[in-house]
Each structure stands twice: as C-alpha cells, then as structure tokens.
C-alpha cells in the first residue's frame, strides 16, 4: 500500500518534532490533568445510569407508541423510586407491568449506586482538593515581586509575620506532611506541596516574577539544591535575591558562591545580638534601635538603601539640591561609597557621585513616596 | 486494534448516522437513539488524556446540548426547530469524526 508506506516514512520526522517540542509540564497543567483523569471514575456509574435510562425510555416509547416525554418521565420516577403511578400509555398492560418490574429491579440498584459514586467522587475524593490547588496555582501566576519561601519551619513562621504586616505576597513550598499540616493550620494563602528543589515547583511558585527566595530547608544539602535550581532559572543575582541560612561560616560562604545573595549563620547572629546588649548594658533601647529599624520592627521608621544608577542626572548634584527633607520628609543619614566606605558626616553640601548608595531614613509612607519618585535614577 | 477505540468510534458513527437519517426523515426513535449514542460517546470520553481528547470531549458536549433540547422540542410539536438543532449537532458530529481520524493517524505515527 503506497499510502501506508508514505505514512511510515512520516514517523521519523514526526518523532523528531515531538522530541524538540517536549517540555516539562507545569504543576498547574499536571493538576488539571489529574482533575480530568479523576473524572474517569464517573464513567462506569454514568454509563450504567445512562443504559438504564435509555432502556427504560425506549421500552416505554414502544409501549406508548412513541411518547418520549411520558416515557422518560416514567423511567425516572421508576428507577428513582418515586413511583407516581403508571403514567406512560401501555405501562398498565400486562406487558408494561412486566417491563416495569424488570426495569425497577435493574434500575433502582444502578441509580442508588451511581448517585453514591458520583457524590463520593465529588465530595470525598481528591476532586475538591485538586480544584482548590488549581485555583491557588492560577492565583500564584498573577503574583509579581513576591517572596518564595522554601521549607516551612519556625524561622519561616516568624518570617511570614512581618511579610503579612508589610502586605508582601509569599508562596511557601514544602512537601513534608508535618509542614503541610502547619501550613494549613497557619492559614497560609499560597503553598505548593512539592519538593522545593524541583524545577516545576519553583516555576509554579512564579520564580520568573519573584523578587526574593528564602532557602530555609532542614539540611544544607537541600539548601544547596534549592539555591542551585533557583539560580539556573534566574541567573542574575540582582533580579532574584536569594537568602539562606547555614550552620557555619564556611558553609555560608559556599552557599554564597553557589548563588545566594546573603547567607545567615543563626548561632552567630544570636551571639552578636547578645553581645550588643552586653556592650550597651542598660541602654538596650539605643543599642538595638538600628536593628529594629532594619528588621522592620520599628513601625514609625524605615531605612532603605538606594544605589545611584550609572549616568543618572542626580550625579554631581548636592544633597541640598534634592531637598529630600522638605519635599518628602526623609533624611539621608549616610552614603556608602563605591569602595565600601561609609560616610556619615554628610550635609547639604555633600556631592552625589557615581556608585554611591544613599541610606534614607524616614516614616514608611514618606520613604515609599521618595523611592517612587526617584525610581528612575535610584534602585 | 483497540477495544476502547472501537467502542468510542462505534457510538460516534452511530450518532452521526442516526443524526443524518433523522434530518432526512424525522422519526422519534431515530432522534432518541441519536441522543443515546451521543451521550454514550461523551461518557466514554470523560477523563481521557489522549491527543485531541479535549477537543473531542468539547465537541461531544456541544452535540449533546443540541440534541437533548431537540428531543424535547420535537416531542412538544416543533419538528422544524428540532431538525434545525439536529443539523447543528450534525456539524459537530462531523468534526468529532474528523478529530477521531486525525487522532488515529497521530497514534499510528507515534507508535514505537
């Protein structure tokens, strides 16, 4: 057959085409497929119900001489155990009664079983959860500049409090049953119950549009896996800021080399903070004022770092020219120079230079306004 | 030969053939058989994850939504309206058959 041999010839190029176009499914697609596949369970009960209804309707139509509406009505009231009476013509005849007897024997069982299965699939099965996940994943697709938290533990639970306060959207990824239990208990809006180091999980969490990623897994190996996968998807360190924790300085350095922007050693951080209290003894309020401002614990004040963009029009201007204090109610408290030196003795006559980073202090609303206005020249 | 495909295609073709015969000579039994065959084909396609399954399920559902009202309208007396609805269902049924053929060809080509 020439047509068949021509079709066979097409196999190879088609295979190549399929291989080239093959891509990993997103979680949303995977869940949608699972939802569609779970509808398979409905097939047999629906087919049985459909069969009973069809047999009943055609049977009564033959008995009544083709009255469809009465026939389907009679079938439904018979197999639905309503039994209003012999409504369809011909159903009161001996032949009709024999037919109704067999239809009831077959149909009533089928009807109750089918209804039970359908209700079970919709209410007890995975269907409701799947619909919930699909909705959540669709909402995650709309998020921009959000935070992705990989691993849910006590640190993550502490972290989400200020995030909620600042109205920053976040997505938690964790696959451990225990973590999922706490995530549901803590009423987390967006979460993905998958391994955080999977490409699909990070893509579904919207890594392409996220601003921050927190690798907060139980083990260092898992943190490495998360950081490396995230950096493969978003290589630029300035686009996606990755923060993580490590048990020692050595591992922290390793994680930073692998792609994390900053890695915190919790024990060291606690020790430093304890020492700062010791250093200032009774003046505890002053000693941790900057910490509290930086950590966002001081609701009235906020401090931000803004880097002057290369070739920006404000380069070469004096601070008094910007007049930030009068216009926005914010103060430049320091300038970090390109080399890393911190200049704190600044005044209105301080000149802004290329590569400077301005430390701006003020009320959160004022800081936000100033940042918004200068977003073209500062970042 | 796949038993599943034979069954689904049987009901698809059955729906198409009775649909055509109903249009050319309106008969109550033909219409009811068309509805039954179409609904069976729809149920058989539920939860299918093959190539073009989405399009086939959608086409089948559209045909059902034409034929079920057609059945009620026919028995309420408006034969012309029922026939025109059946013509609409026929268009969708033809598309269903075409999709089924395309799916068969793709299945054959991608076979190992």
């Amino acid at each position: 057959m020439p047509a068949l041999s021509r079709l066979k010839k097409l196999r190879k190029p088609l295979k190549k085409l399929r291989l080239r176009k093959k891509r990993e499914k997103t979680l949303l697609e995977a869940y949608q497929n699972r939802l569609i596949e779970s509808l398979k369970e409905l097939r047999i009960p629906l087919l049985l119900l459909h069969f009973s209804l069809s047999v009943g309707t055609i049977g009564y139509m033959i008995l009544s001489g083709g009255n469809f509406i009465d026939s389907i009505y009679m079938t439904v009231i018979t197999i639905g155990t309503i039994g209003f009476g012999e409504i369809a013509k011909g159903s009161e005849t001996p032949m009709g009664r024999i037919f109704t007897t067999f239809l009831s024997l077959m149909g009533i069982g089928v009807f109750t079983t089918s209804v039970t299965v359908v209700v079970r699939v919709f209410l007890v099965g995975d269907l409701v959860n799947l619909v919930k996940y699909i909705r959540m994943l669709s909402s995650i697709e709309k998020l921009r500049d959000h935070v992705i938290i990989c691993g849910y533990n006590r640190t993550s639970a502490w972290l989400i409090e200020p995030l909620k306060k600042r109205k920053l959207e976040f997505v938690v990824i964790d696959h451990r049953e225990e973590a999922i239990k706490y995530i549901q208990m803590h009423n987390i809006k967006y979460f993905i119950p998958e391994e955080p180091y999977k490409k699909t999980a990070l893509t579904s969490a919207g890594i392409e549009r996220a601003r921050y990623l927190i690798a907060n897994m139980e083990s260092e190996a898992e943190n490495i896996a998360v950081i490396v996968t995230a950096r493969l998807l978003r290589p630029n360190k300035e686009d996606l800021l990755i923060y993580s924790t490590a048990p020692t300085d050595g591992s922290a350095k390793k994680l930073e080399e692998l792609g994390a922007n900053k890695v915190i050693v919790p024990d060291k951080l606690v020790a430093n903070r304890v020492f700062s209290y010791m250093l200032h003894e009774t003046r505890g309020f002053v000693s941790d004022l900057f910490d509290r401002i930086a950590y966002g614990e001081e609701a009235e004040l906020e401090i931000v770092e803004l880097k002057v963009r290369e070739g920006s029009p404000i380069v070469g201007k004096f601070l008094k020219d910007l007049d930030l204090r009068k216009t926005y109610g914010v103060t430049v408290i320091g300038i970090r120079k390109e080399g890393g030196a911190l200049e704190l003795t600044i005044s209105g006559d301080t000149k802004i230079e290329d590569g400077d980073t301005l430390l701006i202090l003020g009320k959160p609303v004022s800081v936000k306004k100033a940042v918004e206005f200068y977003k073209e020249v500062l970042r | 030969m796949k038993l599943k495909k034979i069954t689904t295609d049987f009901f698809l073709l059955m729906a198409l053939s009775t649909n055509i015969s109903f249009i050319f000579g309106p008969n109550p039994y033909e219409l009811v058989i068309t509805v039954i065959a179409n609904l069976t084909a729809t149920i058989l396609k539920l939860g299918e994850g093959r190539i073009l399954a989405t399009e086939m399920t959608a086409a089948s559902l559209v045909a059902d939504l034409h034929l079920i009202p057609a059945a009620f309208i026919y028995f309420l007396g408006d034969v012309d309206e029922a026939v025109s609805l059946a013509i609409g269902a026929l268009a969708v049924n033809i598309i269903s058959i075409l999709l089924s053929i395309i799916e068969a060809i793709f299945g054959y080509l991608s076979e190992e």
Side-chain angles (χ1 to χ4, degrees):
Chain A
M1 279 200 288
L4 200 71
S5 59
R6 244 179 276 151
L7 269 181
K8 275 182 182 167
K9 272 182 197 165
L10 264 175
R11 269 187 191 174
K12 267 192 180 172
L14 189 89
K15 240 184 199 176
K16 272 186 194 166
L17 193 78
R18 281 167 71 90
L19 277 176
R20 214 177 296 147
K21 288 203 165 176
K22 207 174 177 183
R23 61 169 180 89
E24 232 171 308
K25 266 184 191 166
T26 63
L27 268 184
L28 184 64
E29 285 168 341
Y31 280 129
Q32 276 171 346
N33 277 359
R34 262 166 68 182
L35 180 75
I36 293 169
E37 270 173 27
S38 65
L39 292 178
K40 264 187 190 167
E41 274 186 60
L42 297 175
R43 254 192 222 166
I44 292 171
L46 284 181
L47 269 179
L48 286 173
L49 189 66
H50 178 57
F51 177 72
S52 311
L53 282 170
S54 306
V55 168
T57 309
I58 292 179
Y60 284 122
M61 271 178 82
I62 294 167
L63 284 167
S64 64
N67 191 332
F68 170 74
I69 294 174
D70 277 0
S71 303
I72 194 162
Y73 179 64
M74 181 74 194
T75 312
V76 171
I77 60 171
T78 306
I79 68 169
T81 67
I82 300 164
F84 275 154
E86 289 155 334
I87 283 130
K89 261 188 200 166
S91 59
E92 73 287 352
T93 59
M95 188 55 110
R97 285 185 178 156
I98 292 170
F99 179 71
T100 308
T101 310
F102 281 103
L103 181 70
S104 307
L105 283 174
M106 175 186 74
I108 293 170
V110 166
F111 179 79
T112 42
T113 319
S114 309
V115 170
T116 317
V117 174
V118 172
V119 170
R120 190 179 56 82
V121 167
F122 276 98
L123 297 181
V124 187
D126 236 10
L127 217 67
V128 181
N129 275 339
L130 278 172
V131 172
K132 222 161 67 181
Y133 282 138
I134 288 169
R135 269 195 202 161
M136 193 166 65
L137 288 168
S138 314
S139 314
I140 293 173
E141 282 196 343
K142 287 173 203 144
L143 295 183
R144 289 265 177 290
D145 294 329
H146 56 287
V147 186
I148 298 173
I149 302 171
C150 301
Y152 194 76
N153 51 22
R154 277 187 200 152
T155 315
S156 311
W158 277 109
L159 176 67
I160 62 166
E161 273 189 39
L163 290 179
K164 274 183 182 169
K165 222 186 264 177
R166 292 285 169 111
K167 288 183 180 135
L168 266 170
E169 296 286 9
F170 56 90
V171 181
V172 178
I173 317 176
D174 204 323
H175 67 292
R176 293 166 304 143
E177 261 180 46
E178 193 191 320
I180 294 170
K181 199 175 81 190
Y182 281 110
I183 287 169
Q184 281 165 340
M185 215 156 69
H186 293 171
N187 221 358
I188 308 274
K189 201 168 154 194
Y190 304 118
F191 75 92
I192 295 172
E194 297 285 334
E195 285 101 332
Y197 33 81
K198 270 189 183 170
K199 245 184 186 177
T200 43
L202 288 172
T203 318
S204 305
I207 193 167
E208 294 300 326
R209 305 171 306 277
R211 181 81 184 117
Y212 308 98
L213 184 136
I214 320 296
N216 188 28
M217 305 295 291
E218 291 299 297
S219 73
E220 198 188 335
E222 283 177 313
N223 272 340
I224 292 175
V226 170
I227 293 167
V228 171
T229 318
R231 271 292 165 245
L232 280 173
L233 295 165
R234 292 284 297 273
N236 197 337
K237 271 191 167 185
E238 281 186 19
D239 291 343
L240 176 79
L241 304 166
I242 302 180
Y243 301 113
S244 187
T245 55
T248 60
D249 267 347
S251 350
K253 208 178 158 201
K254 196 164 61 190
L255 293 186
E256 278 173 9
E257 276 169 11
L258 280 171
N261 291 62
K262 179 82 190 159
V263 179
I264 297 146
V265 182
D267 294 340
K268 193 178 162 189
L269 187 78
V270 174
N272 283 345
R273 199 137 181 196
V274 168
F275 182 70
S276 89
Y277 280 105
M278 285 159 64
L279 203 66
H280 298 284
E281 290 183 7
T282 53
R283 298 180 296 280
F285 180 78
V286 183
S287 77
D288 65 0
L289 176 67
F290 275 99
D291 275 357
R292 285 191 287 120
I293 294 169
Y295 298 151
E297 292 165 11
E298 192 69 43
E300 285 303 302
L301 285 171
E302 182 164 296
I303 190 163
V304 289
E305 288 179 39
L306 293 173
K307 197 170 189 316
V308 177
R309 281 185 198 274
E310 229 171 88
S312 145
I314 63 165
V315 172
K317 283 195 175 172
F318 294 104
L319 275 179
K320 65 181 176 194
D321 298 333
L322 301 181
D323 210 9
L324 286 166
R325 205 173 296 169
K326 255 191 198 161
T327 327
Y328 295 104
V330 295
T331 315
V332 178
I333 56 161
I335 295 176
R336 191 175 284 280
K337 292 287 168 192
E338 204 167 10
L342 184 65
E343 200 178 302
L344 289 170
T345 51
I346 51 165
S347 66
D349 295 322
T350 307
K351 209 186 215 178
I352 300 169
E353 289 170 1
D354 244 340
D356 278 0
T357 302
L358 310 184
L359 304 181
I360 296 175
L361 181 79
K363 284 187 178 173
V365 188
S366 317
V367 170
K368 205 176 167 189
K369 271 186 200 164
V371 171
E372 191 59 32
F373 186 77
Y374 284 102
K375 68 180 173 192
E376 296 300 320
V377 288
L378 300 168
R379 60 186 156 148
Chain B
M1 236 195 276
K2 284 174 192 162
L3 192 66
K4 175 98 204 320
K5 184 113 178 85
I6 297 172
T7 334
T8 321
D9 286 0
F10 166 77
F11 283 107
L12 267 180
L13 289 165
M14 182 82 179
L16 181 74
S17 57
T18 43
N19 197 342
I20 294 172
S21 62
F22 171 76
I23 291 164
F24 286 104
N27 173 301
Y29 292 100
E30 270 170 4
L31 183 56
V32 172
I33 290 168
T34 315
V35 176
I36 292 169
N38 230 319
L39 276 171
T40 315
T42 312
I43 297 170
L44 285 172
K45 278 178 220 146
L46 269 187
E48 205 57 68
R50 289 180 302 174
I51 326 157
L52 297 173
T54 333
E55 290 78 6
M56 284 181 81
T57 317
S60 211
L61 282 169
V62 172
D64 290 338
L65 284 177
H66 272 80
L67 287 169
I68 295 168
F72 284 100
I73 289 169
Y74 179 86
F75 291 102
L76 287 171
D78 194 345
V79 179
D80 290 344
E81 186 56 39
V83 171
S84 66
L85 275 168
I87 293 171
L90 175 67
V92 187
N93 272 333
I94 291 170
I95 291 171
S96 272
I97 294 289
L98 288 176
L99 288 172
S100 179
I101 294 167
I102 294 168
E103 195 200 25
I105 294 171
F106 263 89
Y108 173 75
L109 289 174
S110 56
E111 253 174 29
E112 281 302 320

